[in-house]
Amino acid sequence: MARTIIIEEFGGPDTLKLVDREVGEPGPGEVRIAHVACGLNFIDVYQRTGLYPLELPHALGMEAAGIVEAVGDGVTHLQAGQKAAYAATPPGAYSEARVMPASQVCPLPDDIPFEDAASIMLQGMTVEYLFHRVWPLKKGDTVLFHAAAGGVGLLACQWARSEGITLIGTAGTDEKCKMAVDNGASACINYRSEDFVAEVKKLTDDKGVDVVMDGVGKDTFDRSLDCLKPLGMMMSFGNASGPVEPVSLLTLAQKGSLKLTRTTLFTFLADHERCQEMARHLFEKVQSGDVKVNIGQTWKLEEIAEAHRALEARETTGSTILTL
């Protein structure tokens, strides 16, 4: 049996329940993993509220790190006793242990702690695909990144610095803006006190940026288009403020033949080899020191409702983990 967080109905943080669930043995293509720590991400909120519907009841949590306890037939990249980490479907990482598909579970280097891995798998591989797999970014490009002091944002600031990419961030307080700059942003705009479109134009000599990476959604999307250069790329990858309203293709034409994509990490992770390659790239960034883990908050598994409330209130900085 393993303590596990589930929901039986969609709603607020109070719908999160701690129960004991049987773990069982892995079948073909599966692995059983005992978790040491798991990560908290906005996708967990989307699933809890029903924005991303699940078949109920369902466990939550998309990333974790721990020890492989057993592997099923056909699993060759993992073995019992090995350190491992993942960002993977289906949800179920808010648990002491689980059986799950092995394809997206990745061997974890010995020199990366479980807690660090649990905090960066989903967010770090999100940054990896945004910078390397959606559109070919290169040294000298300019990026506008919203919520630059969040878990994904701080990793993106460091990643950009390591790649020679100029990243302009936005955040909701001066303190958060300072964190973004300290982590590698060339500048950070307090969107509560400044017009981020006007500030981006000033910072780019009225040219705009090559790429916008927007995980905020509804509140930032429309004005972000005005920050792009002609032929620029808008990468929408999250809905922290709500889903984006429909956009006319003519709007993209009128604003400079802009490109637009709505991406999701798990499309990229669906291919086993690509998933493992993305994880290795992330681990190399961490091992080299180019990317440093920033765990801003730690809660115990039984404090999950409090953790969700803090995340939704935008009271968190960096990454958030749950310890088992």
Side-chain angles (χ1 to χ4, degrees):
M1 303 296 286
R3 295 189 308 153
T4 304
I5 299 294
I6 67 166
I7 55 168
E8 297 175 328
E9 60 182 331
F10 299 120
D14 291 339
T15 61
L16 297 162
K17 293 185 176 182
L18 180 63
V19 300
D20 287 324
R21 295 182 106 187
E22 186 173 348
V23 179
E25 296 297 324
E30 292 183 331
V31 61
R32 187 176 74 228
I33 182 169
H35 295 145
V36 175
C38 58
L40 176 67
N41 298 280
F42 243 102
I43 191 173
D44 307 344
V45 174
Y46 303 154
Q47 292 168 345
R48 191 204 73 219
T49 61
L51 179 63
Y52 293 178
L54 299 171
E55 185 176 340
L56 300 178
H58 211 296
L60 292 186
M62 303 295 287
E63 71 175 339
I67 297 286
V68 174
E69 291 188 323
V71 299
D73 290 342
V75 177
T76 59
H77 70 292
L78 298 166
Q79 58 186 5
Q82 187 173 17
K83 291 178 64 175
Y86 64 84
T89 55
Y94 293 175
S95 61
E96 291 178 321
R98 67 183 294 200
V99 169
M100 62 183 295
S103 177
Q104 295 169 324
V105 180
C106 306
L108 178 63
D110 288 339
D111 58 347
I112 298 180
F114 293 113
E115 293 80 6
D116 288 1
S119 77
I120 61 167
M121 291 302 291
L122 191 146
Q123 295 170 348
M125 288 200 288
T126 294
V127 174
E128 202 275 350
Y129 91 76
L130 289 173
F131 276 77
H132 296 279
R133 300 177 192 273
V134 177
W135 186 253
L137 292 178
K138 61 186 182 302
K139 184 177 181 180
D141 282 347
T142 303
V143 170
L144 173 64
F145 199 101
H146 290 298
V152 177
L154 291 180
L155 293 174
C157 290
Q158 297 177 65
W159 205 290
R161 179 170 56 190
S162 75
E163 301 273 334
I165 293 168
T166 298
L167 185 147
I168 300 169
T170 70
T173 68
D174 290 342
E175 292 76 17
K176 287 186 176 183
C177 283
K178 183 178 184 304
M179 288 183 65
V181 172
D182 288 346
N183 277 269
S186 64
C188 191
I189 302 161
N190 184 336
Y191 62 81
R192 296 187 190 279
S193 60
E194 298 175 292
D195 179 341
F196 73 78
V197 177
E199 291 301 314
V200 166
K201 293 296 180 67
K202 287 180 187 177
L203 290 165
T204 60
D205 295 325
D206 210 35
K207 295 176 182 177
V209 297
D210 297 291
V211 174
V212 175
M213 298 179 180
D214 184 6
V216 174
K218 182 178 180 180
D219 289 353
T220 51
F221 180 86
D222 289 340
R223 299 178 70 234
S224 291
L225 295 179
D226 295 326
C227 295
L228 284 165
K229 292 177 180 178
L231 309 183
M233 166 62 82
M234 176 74 184
M235 300 181 188
S236 176
F237 67 95
N239 320 288
S241 65
V244 174
E245 297 293 330
V247 59
S248 169
L249 292 179
L250 287 177
T251 299
L252 302 180
Q254 293 161 358
K255 291 182 181 293
S257 298
L258 303 179
K259 296 175 283 290
L260 168 63
T261 182
R262 176 55 171 94
T263 66
T264 176
L265 170 64
F266 293 102
T267 304
F268 291 87
L269 296 185
D271 179 83
H272 170 70
E273 291 301 329
R274 183 170 54 219
C275 172
Q276 300 298 317
E277 180 181 281
M278 290 168 66
R280 287 192 294 269
H281 192 185
L282 173 61
F283 296 150
E284 288 167 5
K285 286 283 188 182
V286 174
Q287 290 170 312
S288 70
D290 284 342
V291 168
K292 292 182 171 56
V293 176
N294 186 324
I295 300 174
Q297 305 74 215
T298 300
W299 275 279
K300 296 179 181 178
L301 184 64
E302 57 267 26
E303 298 172 324
I304 185 62
E306 182 182 349
H308 269 238
R309 289 189 186 97
L311 181 65
E312 288 182 276
R314 302 191 188 184
E315 295 173 353
T316 64
T317 57
S319 300
T320 300
I321 63 169
L322 305 170
T323 56
L324 283 305

